[in-house]
Amino acid sequence: MGERDRHRELVGPAPQGEARRLTRELRAAIEEVRSAVLVLAARVRAAHQARVWAALGYSGWAAYAGAEFGVSRSTAYRLLDLAAAAEAIEDVVARQVGPELSHAWDTGLVLPVRAVVDLKGRIAELADLIAERLADAQAEAGGAPLEPGRVGEVVAGAVAELRERPDVPVAELAVAGGPDGYDAEAWRRHVTAGRPLVAEQQQNDRALGEIALRLAPAHLSDRSALPVLAVYADFVGEDPELFLACRRYLITGDWRAVEDDYRGRQARDLLARHGEEQ
């Protein structure tokens, strides 16, 4: 009798002994999957670093993976992303809590396909966040060693936290820097908090542009559209120039029609008036 047939015969509730046996088998299967993903990640990275496709006569990694394993181009590159993420997590966990716990996280829960896609290009940021959260967990434990389950929770939580954050690349912050008096982490928090607000502003400008286009269709010039928009703006208590700018945004698809032409001009006018008052 095969493994599948043996389990198909069991109709619950099972006796306690049988339930414990099935639980042990399930635990072992989960561990095998976890180990298999980590082995896969390590072997993908080793094969890519060795440029195996060149030795076998393929034009590149995607062509090699498609011919040898029957996977699509996107899957071939997603394997590389998985390998990079898994390696980074293993390394940071090993450094922070010890190599014996480097595998103490559930790859199936922590790195599903969607997570791998979301984390692409953010591996360094992920490693920093995991290290920070593990340090917090160690402090909460009063210096006592972390249990494997706790390590897994921390890693999963860090991955979920990063996936919810807007993407603020480390390189971007390093180049832009922050004002004097702000450390890097504080500046990152402020930028992260501000990004969703800017995205919301862009959505609002788009909604205003849609209203403006219904009132003054795209075939009208700005000169012809402005009187109609001025009447509407007076009713809703807004500057007609804003509606005109949002209308240009919808027509061109370029948000700079609002941010640079309208708000930028307002800011420059404000600074000019402030300079005159000095």
Side-chain angles (χ1 to χ4, degrees):
M1 180 183 300
E3 183 76 7
R4 186 175 177 181
D5 293 332
R6 182 162 61 87
H7 289 311
R8 187 179 291 157
E9 286 184 352
L10 299 174
V11 178
Q16 187 178 58
E18 186 66 12
R20 290 194 180 281
R21 181 185 66 78
L22 289 171
T23 300
R24 286 194 302 272
E25 291 179 354
L26 177 57
R27 183 178 295 111
I30 290 173
E31 289 298 327
E32 288 173 3
V33 170
R34 177 183 298 152
S35 176
V37 171
L38 294 174
V39 170
L40 172 63
R43 290 180 179 171
V44 164
R45 199 158 183 82
H48 188 263
Q49 289 175 343
R51 296 175 58 85
V52 293
W53 63 87
L56 297 177
Y58 295 105
S59 59
W61 170 258
Y64 159 76
E68 295 289 336
F69 313 118
V71 300
S72 67
R73 180 183 180 85
S74 61
T75 299
Y77 284 105
R78 195 171 294 135
L79 285 171
L80 292 177
D81 295 334
L82 170 64
E87 183 178 57
I89 293 174
E90 279 190 275
D91 287 348
V92 72
V93 171
R95 287 197 309 270
Q96 197 70 32
V97 296
E100 68 280 0
L101 292 177
S102 64
H103 294 182
W105 50 281
D106 192 328
T107 51
L109 294 176
V110 172
L111 292 176
V113 171
R114 187 66 252 174
V116 172
V117 173
D118 291 346
L119 296 172
K120 184 176 181 179
R122 307 181 72 183
I123 300 304
E125 188 180 356
L126 173 63
D128 289 344
L129 183 60
I130 291 174
E132 181 182 335
R133 295 295 176 260
L134 285 173
D136 292 342
Q138 288 172 312
E140 291 172 4
L146 297 181
E147 295 293 328
R150 179 59 179 143
V151 173
E153 290 175 1
V154 172
V155 172
V159 170
E161 181 181 343
L162 185 61
R163 292 180 68 194
E164 292 175 359
R165 287 183 183 178
D167 186 2
V168 185
V170 175
E172 178 182 323
L173 294 180
V175 171
D180 292 340
Y182 285 90
D183 62 44
E185 183 58 32
W187 185 247
R188 180 185 296 279
R189 286 197 299 271
H190 292 318
V191 173
T192 300
R195 283 290 176 89
L197 300 179
V198 173
E200 183 178 354
Q201 179 67 68
Q202 189 171 5
Q203 290 176 350
N204 290 339
D205 289 343
R206 185 174 185 83
L208 291 178
E210 289 171 351
I211 293 172
L213 270 179
R214 286 196 290 270
L215 295 171
H219 69 273
L220 296 178
S221 67
D222 282 0
R223 182 186 295 272
S224 298
L226 186 56
V228 177
L229 297 179
V231 174
Y232 179 74
D234 186 55
F235 272 95
V236 299
E238 188 50 88
D239 184 351
E241 290 285 347
L242 174 60
F243 283 95
L244 195 63
C246 291
R247 177 176 176 270
R248 285 197 296 270
Y249 167 36
L250 261 289
I251 292 171
T252 63
D254 192 338
W255 196 34
R256 288 176 297 182
V258 183
E259 283 300 285
D260 293 352
D261 293 350
Y262 176 72
R263 294 196 179 99
R265 186 173 66 250
Q266 283 190 319
R268 289 190 292 273
D269 290 346
L270 180 62
L271 289 172
R273 287 196 300 272
H274 180 71
E276 292 172 358
E277 294 170 359
Q278 297 301 312

